[in-house]
Amino acid sequence: GQPLRATALVSDAQPTRNTLVAVQADLKRVGFELTLEQVPTNVATARRQTGDYQLLGSGYWHTNTPDGLFIVYDSRNITSARFSGQNSSRLHDAKLDALLDRARTSHDPAELGRLYSQAQQRLTELVPAVPVYENHSIMAWHQDVKNVVFDTSHNMPLFTTVWLDRR
């Protein structure tokens, strides 16, 4: 019988501000009131350290390793005054931590698949975060440009080995 309400802490430097405005409009249509509290970056950082927020309008996280779940959801990665971690949901779940620990020490591809599958299943039970967009980078270059390589974590082009073929 009570209206659903939440406040999202948004830093003035975050690239997700516009996305959150769209989410706010969508939620309003279904009766969920989302307030965006935009603050200077130093204020957002201080509040993130103490957990003084309901929702974060954070950026995106990516890695070119299977360690992404550990980085974002393991309890050892909760931000504090002494440590800047990426577990912004402040999730502390012993079952998930144990699965991620076992996966981080395994070298068996089949076991890794099973452990990460179980970890993902656990995350669907806990729902510590709701991703709202996928980051894509679209790039084009002329066929004479050769040897463009990409950073596999950020999907950004590296031009250190590029050369021009004008045959």
Side-chain angles (χ1 to χ4, degrees):
Q2 300 221 2
L4 294 172
R5 291 187 178 98
T7 301
L9 181 63
V10 183
S11 164
D12 54 10
Q14 286 175 316
T16 55
R17 275 194 319 270
N18 293 337
T19 303
L20 284 173
V21 169
V23 168
Q24 181 184 45
D26 287 345
L27 289 174
K28 185 176 184 177
R29 288 198 303 250
V30 296
F32 190 117
E33 181 185 325
L34 178 64
T35 301
L36 305 181
E37 182 183 356
Q38 188 168 329
V39 297
T41 301
N42 65 322
V43 172
T45 300
R47 289 182 54 188
R48 191 169 175 264
Q49 288 174 344
T50 62
D52 182 20
Y53 55 86
Q54 287 181 303
L55 300 169
L56 281 181
S58 12
Y60 52 89
W61 225 103
H62 45 80
T63 179
N64 59 346
T65 72
D67 232 13
L69 295 179
F70 170 80
I71 293 166
V72 179
Y73 297 113
D74 190 89
S75 64
R76 287 170 286 190
N77 290 316
I78 295 172
T79 293
S80 68
R82 297 178 60 168
F83 175 72
S84 183
Q86 298 300 319
N87 183 347
S88 57
S89 63
R90 305 182 79 79
L91 176 65
H92 189 273
D93 183 72
K95 183 176 179 180
L96 179 65
D97 288 351
L99 289 166
L100 295 175
D101 281 344
R102 287 177 41 214
R104 295 184 88 213
T105 59
S106 175
H107 298 287
D108 175 22
E111 181 184 29
L112 282 172
R114 282 190 304 276
L115 291 168
Y116 282 120
S117 178
Q118 290 172 23
Q120 290 174 337
Q121 177 60 44
R122 183 68 178 150
L123 286 166
T124 65
E125 295 163 3
L126 299 168
V127 193
V130 178
V132 292
Y133 71 93
E134 173 91 16
N135 184 37
H136 295 281
S137 300
I138 298 173
M139 289 159 223
W141 57 89
H142 192 274
Q143 64 186 4
D144 292 347
V145 176
K146 305 294 183 185
N147 215 31
V148 176
V149 295
F150 288 85
D151 171 320
T152 57
S153 175
H154 296 83
N155 197 31
M156 297 300 294
L158 303 173
F159 298 107
T160 55
T161 58
V162 170
W163 56 280
L164 188 59
D165 184 5
R166 296 267 182 169
R167 293 184 215 176

